[in-house]
Amino acid sequence: MKRKWLWSTLVAGFVALMVGFVPQPTQAATESYTIGTDVTFPPFEFANKQNQYVGIDIDLMNAIAKQQGFKVTIKPLGFNAAVQALEAGQIDGVIAGMSITPERQEKFAMSDPYYQSGTVMAVAKDAKIKGLSGLRGKRVAVKTGTASADYANAQKKKYGFSVVTFDDSNNMYQDVMTGNSAACFEDKPVMQYGIASGMKLKIVGKTTMKSDYGIAIKRSESATLLKKVNAGLKALKANGQYDKIVRKYLGNGSEAAQKKKTAGTSETDRSFMGLLKSNWGTLMSGLQQTLWLTILGILCATIVGVLVGLLGVVPNKFAQGAATTFIYIFRGLPMMVLALFIYSGVPSLINEKIPAFVAGIITLTLNEGAYTAAFVKGGIAAVNPGQMEAARSLGLPWGKAMRRVILPQGIKIMVPSFINQFIITLKDTSILSVLGLLELTQTGKIIIARNMEGFKIWSMIALIYLIIITLLTWLSNWVQKRVNAA
Amino acid sequence: MTIPRVEMKNVRKRFGDNEVIKNINLKVDDNEVVVLIGPSGAGKSTVLRMINGLETTTSGEILIDGDDIAHAGKSINQMREKIGMVFQHFNLFPNMSVLDNITLAPVELGIRNKADAVTQAKQFLEVVGLTDKADAMPASLSGGQKQRVAIARALAMHPEIMLFDEPTSALDPEMVGDVLGVMRRLAKQGMTMVIVTHEMGFAREVADRVVFFADGELLEQGTPTDIFDHPQHPRLQQFLKQVLNV
Ligand SMILES: Nc1ncnc2c1ncn2[C@@H]1O[C@H](COP(=O)(O)OP(=O)(O)OP(=O)(O)O)[C@@H](O)[C@H]1O
Ligand SMILES: [Mg+2]
């Protein structure tokens, strides 16, 4: 009878974990593919005013899918996360204004080129720098893993500048506009589009490193998806649809045409309230994702943490060793490393995709669970050992003594730590934005990438976090009062 | 004759390199009250704790009604049910009322249903003179009251042996009498008891046998008259001189 309680808790914990590992069902009827893309790389991919993803890459990919009769889901994961996800086999392809390079051709199946680009250098609008030779002793911003970054790195010795890398274009632009960096290197169409959208930058020097953009496809899909993509591209170029898509975003290249294009993507009311109103829906869906991560994370981490914590006090060397090891490993690993390891490291080992959300929950479970286990163990150890002796001297077995005498006292000691851990879990969900999860922080990055209103949007995001943390604290304090009264 | 209630045979106990119990042989018969005396660090608590298995033994046997508790395995819980223990610092469960402290073990172990356990707990509270404290929380009790609840809690398991480890040392002097009174009554009723105490007057009064320990060795044992009026071992003579002259 009493045993059942322990078992049901154990089983619940395992079920929670296993459900997470069940692979997503795949459609059989029409082929369905997941393609990763960058968060913001206008005009190739960016969120419009309605926070829908648009751009040359997005439209082109959808048109190819339609032309070839397959289903496609496009996920804005961020450039690096997308490439890593492709390497790990989490997704089937990446379309993100990606230059075709020998390295990439070796790793992935690259499609036929769909756009010719090149690297340009841009400086602040009022800067006097005219070219590479003006960069001596200065800092230059690039975006990680891009051909422009390779170019900058190849030139830095010769021209004597240092290179700082950013994960997305907007942070890179900002760094140049604020004067932290003297210049940035970027693909030409992107730079043109950015300047036309109001970035206070100008292009200097010549276009170099002319390169072709291609779609990267998972090697194992060379015979299927790659063939379809190439066939689709060819057909779209032939029937004029391709030109239409490119013109839709770049117009005829004139500044007037650019202005008209960008008008559609930028907000009209840029006041705090105006921005809040126009982004309300997006922010709320980000918040919803954050709350789901938090609630499920807290639930799983608490179950695992309590079980491991108890394992740590069982009078058995093996059990204690296992608990100590668990705590040591998962408390020691930085959460971001753990998240990326689970999301893009583990799948290549087990040959099974782990959806980002599930990877996020597993990360929270292990990391927060380790902290929980540590204070559960500590809380139990903090109960006067005389209590266990008195209970055992009455003939109560260890488990009953633990449950009826030690745990109720230990839990009181642990309650403040639990509350603290819940709040930390909420905050830590923001780290999961590296997995491309559209939670609150990632949502903020995307909105800002579009409207450049960093201060106002981050203020909103900060405010939302604070409100939720306040509510969570109230709830926890209420629970604490009830526990202490009991 | 019947087998002794407790029989320690060649018992040794080491903490690391420190041998704190050195080859002890001790018997406690049914209905007997044995008082352990000796200087601090002699090993009195350790002996008491080994008798109900709270401390492991390094070698030797400790037979409780003929069964070795030192190598009891899982059945140690059943063996403990018939050995009550009262601690110097009471160790009441602060998270439950006096009544729940007393009924917890009989109910959890399925010995009694809740209603019976409550009726019985009230009887034991009467025995220790605390009928009005049934619903109090331990934190609201004085030391003497706590210790009497602890005795009632141990009695609720209907033990055949009661172990007391300095039950009055943590009490204010005016509380000592109440607790000793309860113990005196238990002794009169024929409870088998092993008591560690520094209350020499009480020892002389209730003990059937007094046992003297020093440095982990059993140096002398006998009736209270033997021990207190005709001590043989120089260590005992010295010890008595110290405690009785304070
Ligand atoms: N858990 C332990 N680990 C190491 N040494 C211990 C432990 N418990 C007791 N000892 C040592 O064993 C010896 C006997 O201790 P014990 O508590 O049995 O003495 P005692 O006769 O009850 O003394 P007191 O009158 O002070 O209570 C002491 O030297 C003590 O330091
Ligand atoms: Mg002692």
Side-chain angles (χ1 to χ4, degrees):
Chain A
M1 173 52 206
K2 293 289 144 51
R3 275 279 152 81
K4 263 188 192 154
W5 170 84
L6 186 74
W7 279 115
S8 55
T9 318
L10 266 170
V11 168
F14 276 110
V15 167
L17 277 177
M18 294 321 288
V19 165
F21 277 114
V22 172
Q24 305 294 94
T26 44
Q27 269 106 343
T30 42
E31 276 332 308
S32 173
Y33 295 105
T34 308
I35 304 292
T37 186
D38 202 352
V39 175
T40 320
F41 189 52
F44 291 93
E45 46 264 346
F46 56 100
N48 68 9
K49 199 154 64 174
Q50 289 77 40
N51 281 302
Q52 278 153 345
Y53 263 86
V54 292
I56 295 174
D57 282 346
I58 311 290
D59 289 10
L60 192 60
M61 196 63 229
N62 283 325
I64 291 172
K66 198 164 167 201
Q67 211 274 335
Q68 291 291 310
F70 62 83
K71 275 195 185 150
V72 67
T73 315
I74 300 177
K75 285 193 165 174
L77 299 171
F79 189 84
N80 278 325
V83 172
Q84 277 176 28
L86 181 60
E87 274 188 61
Q90 291 268 31
I91 53 177
D92 305 301
V94 174
I95 182 165
M98 188 192 274
S99 309
I100 301 173
T101 62
E103 288 96 337
R104 286 187 184 136
Q105 274 170 321
E106 206 166 280
K107 254 195 196 131
F108 310 119
M110 296 299 292
S111 75
D112 295 337
Y114 68 87
Y115 190 87
Q116 201 195 40
S117 176
T119 295
V120 291
M121 171 179 152
V123 296
K125 204 156 208 163
D126 50 7
K128 297 204 173 58
I129 299 168
K130 292 233 160 49
L132 282 166
S133 46
L135 293 175
R136 186 159 299 280
K138 300 234 159 67
R139 196 170 97 150
V140 160
V142 298
K143 197 166 117 180
T144 7
T146 58
S148 308
D150 293 344
Y151 175 71
N153 279 314
Q155 304 299 323
K156 69 178 175 192
K157 261 241 175 77
K158 187 170 162 201
Y159 292 98
F161 56 84
S162 62
V163 170
V164 54
T165 49
F166 290 89
D167 246 2
D168 66 62
S169 305
N170 276 289
N171 289 340
M172 173 176 79
Y173 298 151
Q174 285 294 317
D175 208 53
V176 178
M177 284 192 277
T178 55
N180 286 335
S181 291
C184 61
F185 288 87
E186 177 65 286
D187 293 350
K188 188 174 170 188
V190 180
M191 203 61 248
Q192 284 175 329
Y193 184 84
I195 290 171
S197 334
M199 228 78 71
K200 294 194 169 40
L201 300 172
K202 66 181 175 195
I203 293 174
V204 293
K206 276 186 291 216
T207 307
T208 51
M209 301 266 297
K210 295 219 168 67
S211 71
D212 289 317
Y213 284 175
I215 304 168
I217 306 289
K218 188 152 71 171
R219 274 238 165 268
S220 59
E221 297 283 352
S222 313
T224 50
L225 182 58
L226 180 69
K227 287 238 167 72
K228 290 181 197 168
V229 164
N230 283 338
L233 261 176
K234 206 165 167 189
L236 294 176
K237 275 183 179 162
N239 70 16
Q241 224 180 318
Y242 170 86
D243 286 330
K244 232 166 103 185
I245 291 172
V246 173
R247 232 179 303 125
K248 180 173 158 199
Y249 291 98
L250 288 181
N252 53 18
S254 77
E255 209 159 287
Q258 291 282 14
K259 278 265 156 61
K260 217 176 106 213
K261 287 296 140 208
T262 52
T265 70
S266 56
E267 263 109 337
T268 33
D269 184 353
R270 289 186 161 256
S271 71
F272 189 88
M273 289 318 289
L275 285 171
L276 186 61
K277 222 161 113 191
S278 58
N279 290 297
W280 182 255
T282 322
L283 287 170
M284 286 305 113
S285 77
L287 173 63
Q288 198 184 349
Q289 184 84 348
T290 289
L291 289 180
W292 271 119
L293 285 168
T294 307
I295 292 166
L296 284 176
I298 286 175
L299 221 75
C300 296
T302 302
I303 292 170
V304 168
V306 168
L307 289 178
V308 174
L310 286 175
L311 206 63
V313 293
V314 171
N316 174 310
K317 287 250 158 63
F318 258 129
Q320 288 178 6
T324 311
T325 312
F326 181 92
I327 294 170
Y328 177 78
I329 292 176
F330 293 113
R331 204 168 55 163
L333 280 180
M335 196 164 157
M336 199 183 282
V337 173
L338 184 60
L340 290 171
F341 178 75
I342 290 169
Y343 181 62
S344 45
V346 173
S348 47
L349 193 75
I350 61 171
N351 251 322
E352 190 76 68
K353 294 181 193 180
I354 302 178
F357 187 85
V358 175
I361 294 295
I362 296 174
T363 305
L364 288 173
T365 304
L366 295 176
N367 179 280
E368 316 289 344
Y371 280 97
T372 305
F375 69 70
V376 165
K377 210 176 124 191
I380 292 170
V383 175
N384 183 343
Q387 292 288 310
M388 181 53 102
E389 294 190 341
R392 297 304 304 273
S393 78
L394 290 166
L396 290 173
W398 185 88
K400 284 192 164 110
M402 181 52 70
R403 194 158 50 80
R404 296 300 310 272
V405 176
I406 310 301
L407 274 185
Q409 299 180 53
I411 285 171
K412 258 184 212 181
I413 300 172
M414 294 168 210
V415 164
S417 309
F418 268 115
I419 293 175
N420 197 29
Q421 199 59 38
F422 293 165
I423 290 171
I424 290 172
T425 306
L426 170 61
K427 291 197 284 189
D428 280 354
T429 57
S430 70
I431 295 174
L432 300 176
S433 61
V434 293
L435 303 184
L437 280 170
L438 287 172
E439 45 66 69
L440 201 48
T441 303
Q442 181 78 349
T443 304
K445 281 191 207 165
I446 291 172
I447 296 175
I448 292 161
R450 167 168 49 77
N451 65 16
M452 308 301 291
E453 293 284 356
F455 180 76
K456 287 173 193 157
I457 300 294
W458 283 129
S459 302
M460 285 174 206
I461 303 260
L463 214 65
I464 296 174
Y465 274 118
L466 282 177
I467 290 171
I468 302 304
I469 281 168
T470 308
L471 292 177
L472 193 59
T473 311
W474 281 348
L475 179 72
S476 306
N477 286 342
W478 180 77
V479 171
Q480 182 169 20
K481 270 199 199 111
R482 310 236 4 187
V483 169
N484 283 343
Chain B
M1 259 257 344
T2 50
I3 43 172
R5 275 265 124 110
V6 180
E7 183 170 11
M8 301 179 78
K9 286 184 177 171
N10 306 319
V11 172
R12 290 174 185 276
K13 171 70 182 175
R14 231 184 320 247
F15 286 113
D17 291 337
N18 185 16
E19 188 166 58
V20 298
I21 299 297
K22 296 161 188 158
N23 200 29
I24 283 199
N25 290 282
L26 176 70
K27 270 188 215 176
V28 181
D29 284 323
D30 198 20
N31 301 336
E32 199 182 10
V33 176
V34 172
V35 171
L36 310 185
I37 60 171
S40 181
K44 308 179 296 292
S45 297
T46 306
V47 166
L48 219 55
R49 291 159 58 77
M50 286 196 293
I51 292 176
N52 75 349
L54 283 181
E55 210 73 78
T56 57
T57 38
T58 307
S59 68
E61 295 181 321
I62 300 179
L63 306 179
I64 307 295
D65 290 336
D67 299 324
D68 190 0
I69 196 166
H71 306 92
K74 279 237 162 83
S75 63
I76 195 165
N77 292 321
Q78 268 106 51
M79 298 183 71
R80 275 174 177 150
E81 286 179 21
K82 56 184 182 186
I83 310 171
M85 175 132 185
V86 175
F87 301 84
Q88 181 175 359
H89 295 288
F90 333 124
N91 294 345
L92 291 186
F93 308 135
N95 55 318
M96 46 186 101
S97 70
V98 164
L99 202 66
D100 289 340
N101 261 274
I102 301 172
T103 59
L104 177 72
V107 174
E108 275 291 319
L109 295 171
I111 295 168
R112 241 153 256 276
N113 65 35
K114 182 81 190 176
D116 283 355
V118 169
T119 319
Q120 180 202 261
K122 289 188 170 153
Q123 285 163 8
F124 283 117
L125 279 176
E126 207 175 319
V127 170
V128 300
L130 289 171
T131 347
D132 53 331
K133 295 293 183 190
D135 297 319
M137 292 305 279
S140 69
L141 303 180
S142 73
Q145 292 170 333
K146 280 183 190 157
Q147 196 59 299
R148 285 183 281 153
V149 172
I151 294 173
R153 178 175 71 179
L155 291 176
M157 289 300 294
H158 294 272
E160 287 155 13
I161 308 161
M162 284 284 281
L163 310 176
F164 293 85
D165 191 0
E166 301 194 33
T168 59
S169 323
L171 300 181
D172 292 338
E174 68 267 26
M175 305 283 180
V176 171
D178 293 339
V179 173
L180 293 184
V182 171
M183 291 170 67
R184 200 173 280 127
R185 246 172 292 147
L186 280 179
K188 279 222 183 79
Q189 287 161 16
M191 175 68 78
T192 307
M193 294 167 43
V194 183
I195 305 169
V196 174
T197 187
H198 293 300
E199 300 283 341
M200 293 304 153
F202 177 72
R204 185 192 276 269
E205 179 197 336
V206 301
D208 295 313
R209 186 152 45 100
V210 178
V211 179
F212 175 68
F213 280 93
D215 300 328
E217 285 178 289
L218 195 165
L219 294 183
E220 193 164 338
Q221 54 179 318
T223 62
T225 324
D226 291 342
I227 296 291
F228 292 117
D229 300 334
H230 310 288
Q232 302 297 311
H233 201 284
R235 282 297 303 271
L236 174 56
Q237 290 165 357
Q238 182 199 345
F239 172 74
L240 288 175
K241 206 178 278 170
Q242 273 169 358
V243 292
L244 296 176
N245 286 354
V246 167

